[in-house]
Amino acid sequence: MPKKILVVDDKAEIRKLLKSYFTQEGFEVVTAADGQEALFVARHEKPDLVLLDLMMPNLNGYDFLRRFSRESATPVIVLTAKVEESDKVLGLELGADDYVIKPFSPRELVARVRAVLRRVEKTQRQPPQLLRVGDITVDLEGHYVRVGERVVDLTPSEFALLSTLIGAPGRVFSRMELLERIQGTAYEGYERTIDVHIRNLRAKIEPDPSRPRYIETVYGAGYRFAPEERFA
């Protein structure tokens, strides 16, 4: 069964181009011209992934992300002509899994979509398993995280990132390694998005995000989950 992509862009020519290209690549494609229409289409069509423009009328991409991330774990790739780092960071903080800057190569975009979908499928196919370190519990089968007795809502990228780190306590992962783990491929120049995901993850699981107990920064190398013996 083909994967379904929701393309959200206020420019008809972009929607037409992407629908044509992704259809040729074997995807089913539905479209929306703004964030408000996208919420309606997403709720009824249940897409496997959303390609989202940020600057739209009625309900922009940021507002769509705020609402959509509260009701769905569907991965989102942001399409943006804005290149300021703050715009990229805000999109990731609101729940986007990746971003692509316009103008983009359709081939690269398809590759990025396939990478995100592979990562989601891999996570969903994990055998029944609980990962526990300290007060953190990650259920790979149920796809949920607990901090003590509190259930924490994570985006797909945050869940993949935490699963990777907690699965090997004490091991240092470079940013490129982590990017490959959560996306299936790693693109040079995008590894700093990991810093945003780590910051978001710390805000959700750390007792004091400014003094991390679980996810440690190893300067010049990357990140690691604190060794298990520290919590004995």
Side-chain angles (χ1 to χ4, degrees):
M1 186 174 180
K3 294 293 185 180
K4 185 183 294 185
I5 308 296
L6 169 57
V7 175
V8 188
D9 199 297
D10 63 327
K11 294 180 175 59
E13 62 271 23
I14 297 293
R15 298 196 302 274
K16 183 178 180 180
L17 171 67
L18 292 181
K19 182 171 184 177
S20 174
Y21 201 90
F22 276 92
T23 300
Q24 291 176 21
E25 292 293 322
F27 292 89
E28 181 180 349
V29 181
V30 292
T31 65
D34 57 53
Q36 196 66 54
E37 183 183 3
L39 284 174
F40 177 83
V41 174
R43 288 163 181 162
H44 288 80
E45 295 289 343
K46 307 296 183 186
D48 297 291
L49 183 141
V50 179
L51 290 175
L52 177 70
D53 183 38
L54 288 180
M55 307 311 292
M56 298 180 295
N58 297 331
L59 188 73
N60 65 35
Y62 298 118
D63 291 331
F64 171 86
L65 274 170
R66 288 187 181 94
R67 298 189 190 183
F68 188 62
S69 61
R70 290 198 296 264
E71 59 187 67
S72 176
T74 301
V76 177
I77 296 178
V78 165
L79 306 176
T80 178
K82 305 185 74 172
V83 296
E84 289 85 354
E85 183 177 1
S86 59
D87 296 306
K88 303 171 189 175
V89 169
L90 179 56
L92 293 170
E93 287 179 340
L94 291 174
D97 293 88
D98 199 359
Y99 61 86
V100 176
I101 297 173
K102 297 178 180 179
F104 49 78
S105 159
R107 288 185 62 187
E108 179 187 349
L109 183 57
V110 170
R112 301 276 279 275
V113 166
R114 292 191 191 280
V116 171
L117 289 174
R118 280 197 302 270
R119 183 254 301 156
V120 172
E121 290 174 354
K122 183 178 179 181
T123 301
Q124 292 172 344
R125 289 198 304 266
Q126 291 282 0
Q129 190 176 3
L130 289 177
L131 301 176
R132 289 194 183 97
V133 178
D135 290 333
I136 308 293
T137 300
V138 177
D139 187 326
L140 297 177
E141 182 183 32
H143 206 273
Y144 69 82
V145 172
R146 279 199 175 97
V147 179
E149 297 301 316
R150 176 173 60 93
V151 176
V152 179
D153 292 325
L154 301 182
T155 68
S157 290
E158 291 165 0
F159 186 87
L161 189 58
L162 179 58
S163 300
T164 296
L165 291 169
I166 198 173
R171 176 186 165 182
V172 178
F173 290 87
S174 71
R175 290 177 176 83
M176 288 295 284
E177 282 183 292
L178 292 172
L179 190 62
E180 187 168 1
R181 292 295 184 98
I182 71 172
Q183 293 187 173
T185 53
Y187 294 89
E188 189 173 354
Y190 287 87
E191 65 269 21
R192 287 292 171 179
T193 63
I194 291 296
D195 297 341
V196 179
H197 289 307
I198 289 288
R199 185 165 70 244
N200 294 342
L201 190 53
R202 282 172 169 164
K204 294 179 180 181
I205 70 169
E206 297 282 2
D208 181 0
S210 65
R211 301 175 64 185
R213 180 187 185 201
Y214 296 109
I215 300 177
E216 301 178 335
T217 300
V218 181
Y219 292 99
Y223 296 99
R224 70 178 179 182
F225 201 93
E228 289 185 88
E229 55 267 24
R230 189 171 302 175
F231 305 99

